[in-house]
Amino acid sequence: SHGNKEVFSCRGILLAVQWFWDRGHKDITVFVPSWRKEQPRPDVLITDQYILRDLEKKKILVFTPSRRVGGKRVVCYDDRFIVKLAHESDGIVVSNDTYRDLQSERPEWKKFIEERLLMYSFVNDKY
């Protein structure tokens, strides 16, 4: 949401990570589809892509798998990665997604999502 739905703002991810880091949280994982590493297209803008590589080197960011089949991009369902890791590590999920579909997938995820989902907003560069 940092890019106002016009661009994918890697800086927004960094601001969120920094907000938690500054408060003493060191076990932070960011999931981003691997196609975000590719050269951006005019219809799918991305800013400050180098931030993703920097966060990956620091073992904070994980790229979820994607591939091309017959010229089309096939991506995994990264929401499942997010909820599964947070549940297994007794963490929280920071997202504005409500994960309704995953709540019905596993009973233990429903309660977890209801109690451990932290929604957020940006006011300019303030997380």
Side-chain angles (χ1 to χ4, degrees):
S1 66
H2 184 257
N4 292 323
K5 298 181 182 174
E6 296 170 11
V7 299
F8 182 84
S9 170
C10 300
R11 189 162 193 281
I13 292 173
L14 181 60
L15 290 168
V17 167
Q18 192 65 52
W19 191 90
F20 286 97
W21 192 265
D22 289 348
R23 283 152 183 78
H25 302 283
K26 304 302 180 203
D27 187 8
I28 300 169
T29 304
V30 174
F31 287 101
V32 174
S34 63
W35 63 268
R36 292 285 186 189
K37 291 191 271 188
E38 297 172 7
Q39 183 67 31
R41 298 187 332 238
D43 60 325
V44 187
L45 297 175
I46 183 169
T47 58
D48 303 317
Q49 240 174 342
Y50 70 92
I51 291 172
L52 301 182
R53 290 186 297 278
D54 291 348
L55 291 173
E56 182 184 32
K57 285 178 189 165
K58 294 175 182 171
K59 305 217 182 283
I60 292 173
L61 184 139
V62 175
F63 286 103
T64 57
S66 67
R67 59 191 172 113
R68 290 206 172 268
V69 176
K72 290 192 170 197
R73 181 181 294 125
V74 178
V75 297
C76 70
Y77 188 51
D78 55 1
D79 288 0
R80 194 170 285 112
F81 281 86
I82 294 164
V83 172
K84 185 176 188 299
L85 177 65
H87 182 260
E88 289 174 354
S89 62
D90 198 31
I92 64 166
V93 174
V94 178
S95 177
N96 288 334
D97 188 332
T98 59
Y99 301 98
R100 281 194 213 289
D101 53 331
L102 292 179
Q103 288 187 38
S104 61
E105 191 170 296
R106 293 190 180 180
E108 65 271 22
W109 285 4
K110 178 177 178 20
K111 183 172 173 35
F112 180 80
I113 292 167
E114 288 172 351
E115 295 175 359
R116 297 289 188 96
L117 177 62
L118 178 63
M119 299 180 117
Y120 67 92
S121 62
F122 283 97
V123 176
N124 297 317
D125 280 345
K126 292 190 189 311
Y127 179 79

